[in-house]
Amino acid sequence: MKNILIGLLSFFSFGVSAGIPTLSNVTQAELDNISKEFAANFVHTVVAPAKSLGHTWGFEIGVFGGITQTPDLEAVVKRVSSSTIVNKVYHGGALGMLTIPWGITMEATYFPKKSIAGITADSWSVGAKWTVTEYYPLSPWIDLAIRAHTSNAGLSYSQSSTTATTVVSGTINVDTTVWGANIVASSDILFFEPYLGLGFLKGKTDVKFNATGSGTIFATNVTLSGGNSVTSKQTSTHLFAGLQLDLFLFHIAGEWASAFGTNSYTGKVSFYF
């Protein structure tokens, strides 16, 4: 487990495929679109169906990782550097779940602060799931749960000035917070648990540029919230579906999600009892 986590820490720090993204002359519309993609990437998930981990107590620990498509971020970055590829960003880390009596499952994920290839990133999320059908059965084949959750992620990196564009030197800091709630339905079929969920999300992304001299990465139509800082707030529906494979003491699962106008894909490997 430790070796798997170390591998994820190295791979999912931020996920720039080729080079550090350089931003310049970012408009309000572009900022809102980029903020949506970051919010979608860091929505809380433990890649799990509606069923709890036991009628009274249960525990699960593992690792997860995935990607989120970011076409709007790439469009802004390619305006400055056509060779930089950022059509997706990554997420991942460690996850844990604890089921207590009354069908309540506490959930958490964590990615410690780590710097790789010039980019520093960290993230965490927490959630609480109540499996309604533990006490109010609907069908022997269907489990139903409701969940509330929140998450936070931060990243920072430096971009260098260049004489070919209006880019200036400085440090970009991005802080994303997402809140939400959803309802999940799943079915336990032999070793498989397919599930489907629908929810609502609110996201807030703060982008701050600390220039080494005078200059900004934002266009003139962007209203600064203080210094070289901008806040973008978004709301979205949250649709997701997944499949969990129940093996002896292990779970393997995959999930697709649609939020804030983009798609994410996440997988996990975990140990449970």
Side-chain angles (χ1 to χ4, degrees):
M1 182 67 71
K2 180 179 179 181
N3 291 335
I4 294 175
L5 180 56
I6 290 174
L8 281 171
L9 296 182
S10 299
F11 187 64
F12 292 109
S13 184
F14 175 54
V16 178
S17 300
I20 293 177
T22 301
L23 303 179
S24 178
N25 199 35
V26 181
T27 67
Q28 185 64 54
E30 290 172 335
L31 179 67
D32 291 340
N33 289 336
I34 293 172
S35 298
K36 288 179 181 179
E37 292 174 343
F38 275 99
N41 192 55
F42 295 111
V43 173
H44 168 78
T45 181
V46 287
V47 199
K51 190 173 69 174
S52 65
L53 295 169
H55 291 294
T56 53
W57 298 94
F59 182 75
E60 182 172 342
I61 186 170
V63 292
F64 74 103
I67 63 171
T68 299
Q69 297 173 338
T70 54
D72 292 309
L73 173 62
E74 184 172 55
V76 173
V77 170
K78 280 188 174 297
R79 191 170 61 220
V80 179
S81 173
S82 60
S83 63
T84 303
I85 302 172
V86 284
N87 57 0
K88 57 182 174 295
V89 293
Y90 297 84
H91 54 270
L95 64 84
M97 286 176 274
L98 175 65
T99 292
I100 61 176
W102 308 292
I104 297 173
T105 301
M106 311 304 295
E107 307 171 338
T109 72
Y110 180 60
F111 182 90
K113 182 172 288 189
K114 187 174 181 65
S115 296
I116 295 178
I119 296 175
T120 300
D122 67 289
S123 68
W124 60 264
S125 71
V126 293
K129 180 179 73 176
W130 178 42
T131 304
V132 180
T133 46
E134 287 283 335
Y135 291 91
Y136 304 99
L138 298 176
S139 159
W141 306 103
I142 300 295
D143 291 297
L144 189 68
I146 55 177
R147 174 190 287 113
H149 59 88
T150 186
S151 58
N152 177 265
L155 67 90
S156 64
Y157 64 92
S158 298
Q159 68 172 38
S160 301
S161 61
T162 173
T163 58
T165 71
T166 57
V167 178
V168 295
S169 297
T171 301
I172 296 175
N173 295 279
V174 182
D175 185 83
T176 299
T177 302
V178 182
W179 306 266
N182 56 61
I183 183 168
V184 191
S186 63
S187 183
D188 194 346
I189 307 170
L190 296 176
F191 303 108
F192 300 95
E193 290 189 73
Y195 61 93
L196 179 67
L198 179 64
F200 176 79
L201 298 169
K202 292 184 64 176
K204 180 174 77 73
T205 298
D206 298 313
V207 181
K208 186 175 183 179
F209 181 63
N210 298 311
T212 55
S214 61
T216 181
I217 61 172
F218 306 113
T220 55
N221 72 332
V222 176
T223 301
L224 301 179
S225 56
N228 241 332
S229 179
V230 178
T231 298
S232 179
K233 297 180 180 180
Q234 311 293 340
T235 59
S236 173
T237 55
H238 182 204
L239 178 64
F240 57 98
L243 177 66
Q244 178 169 278
L245 176 61
D246 299 332
L247 303 175
F248 179 68
L249 298 179
F250 288 95
H251 284 152
I252 299 174
E255 180 180 290
W256 161 85
S258 175
F260 298 103
T262 191
N263 295 312
S264 299
Y265 306 89
T266 309
K268 80 168 180 183
V269 178
S270 60
F271 167 78
Y272 73 99
F273 60 90

